[in-house]
Amino acid sequence: MWFWNRDRPREWGRAHVPFDESTLPRPKFLTVAEAVEEGLLLTEYASRMAVKNRFLIRVLAGHEPWELARGQGIARDILQSLARESDTDADNLDRLIEKFSDNPASARDAHGYTHDDLPNMEHRRDVSREVARRLREQSADEAFLIELVSTARRDAWREVASNIEHNLDLENIPVDADYLKHREQRMRRLIAEDLAALSSRSTEELAPAEYGDL
């Protein structure tokens, strides 16, 4: 049996007030500059992963040495490709903006845009244009390319070392507290010494004429 709480005032007969969406705080949208910076973080990650994968596939699997200049060329091509994609997005948005500006009653497009979305489309177009411009700047910045390639190379070595360590762990090796305690130290030593020495030795043994295109 349910009992009414005597200390709680009764609300019987109180008129129901419909929900008013306009009372909600308006969402804060990113400025073009803020959205561009977020976009560049994503493109930097994507380009670094792409360079890392090229390193793993063409160098480690193919037994080819890694040259910084070749790595920079790969990174430059990837950044320019991302810039072209961003420009293509902006071009598509330009066409949609023109379509809905000329004919506000145009049918909803495949992505769900209507005339009401013009401000959002213009914002996205401006972001895409600026991202493309900044990516082309990065592709011509030697210091940026060197840092990108160096970071991708370190990521690749870490992945190789992690796979080697994992495979070793699958063997019948006694695992105790001391083994686990020093695992991270062994990983760093493997990356810094063993794999680096292997890379250096491979580079010395292969003549320049034998270098494959990365």
Side-chain angles (χ1 to χ4, degrees):
M1 179 180 291
W2 292 95
F3 296 93
W4 184 262
N5 187 344
R6 294 171 182 261
D7 297 327
R8 180 179 177 182
R10 298 191 180 190
E11 299 180 357
W12 294 344
R14 182 178 176 181
H16 175 69
V17 179
F19 174 71
D20 185 359
E21 187 176 352
S22 66
T23 62
L24 294 175
R26 295 182 65 83
K28 181 182 178 182
F29 294 101
L30 294 177
T31 65
V32 170
E34 291 170 336
V36 167
E37 292 305 318
E38 284 200 358
L40 289 174
L41 287 175
L42 294 175
T43 57
E44 181 180 349
Y45 175 80
S47 56
R48 191 172 74 245
M49 291 302 99
V51 174
K52 182 203 75 171
N53 290 337
R54 292 288 291 275
F55 177 89
L56 290 171
I57 294 171
R58 301 300 301 278
V59 178
L60 299 182
H63 307 291
E64 298 173 356
W66 176 263
E67 286 185 317
L68 180 59
R70 291 184 184 277
Q72 286 178 258
I74 293 171
R76 184 180 298 109
D77 290 344
I78 291 170
L79 290 170
Q80 291 176 351
S81 176
L82 290 171
R84 287 192 296 272
E85 289 180 13
S86 192
D87 265 336
T88 298
D89 289 340
D91 290 342
N92 292 336
L93 286 164
D94 264 335
R95 284 190 286 272
L96 283 175
I97 291 168
E98 183 178 0
K99 168 188 172 181
F100 286 114
S101 296
D102 292 344
N103 186 6
S106 294
R108 187 184 301 270
D109 92 304
H111 299 287
Y113 285 121
T114 66
H115 179 266
D116 293 339
D117 297 310
L118 277 175
N120 182 36
M121 287 188 284
E122 291 169 350
H123 182 272
R124 287 191 57 193
R125 177 204 54 198
D126 294 344
V127 171
S128 294
R129 288 289 185 216
E130 181 61 13
V131 167
R133 186 187 71 80
R134 293 280 296 277
L135 285 170
R136 289 192 174 90
E137 281 186 351
Q138 291 177 350
S139 72
D141 185 339
E142 184 174 357
F144 181 87
L145 293 175
I146 290 174
E147 178 61 26
L148 177 63
V149 172
S150 299
T151 302
R153 184 176 183 273
R154 288 194 298 269
D155 290 344
W157 283 126
R158 289 192 183 96
E159 186 169 319
V160 172
S162 178
N163 286 332
I164 292 174
E165 182 75 8
H166 174 71
N167 290 333
L168 289 176
D169 285 345
L170 294 179
E171 299 293 335
N172 296 323
I173 300 176
V175 178
D176 53 23
D178 188 63
Y179 175 86
L180 296 175
K181 177 181 178 181
H182 298 291
R183 175 175 176 169
E184 184 176 352
Q185 180 180 349
R186 292 197 309 276
M187 291 281 288
R188 287 198 300 267
R189 188 166 59 248
L190 178 64
I191 295 170
E193 299 175 7
D194 298 348
L195 293 180
L198 176 61
S199 175
S200 176
R201 186 162 59 252
S202 297
T203 302
E204 293 172 357
E205 290 173 354
L206 291 176
E210 297 176 85
Y211 287 179
D213 292 334
L214 295 178

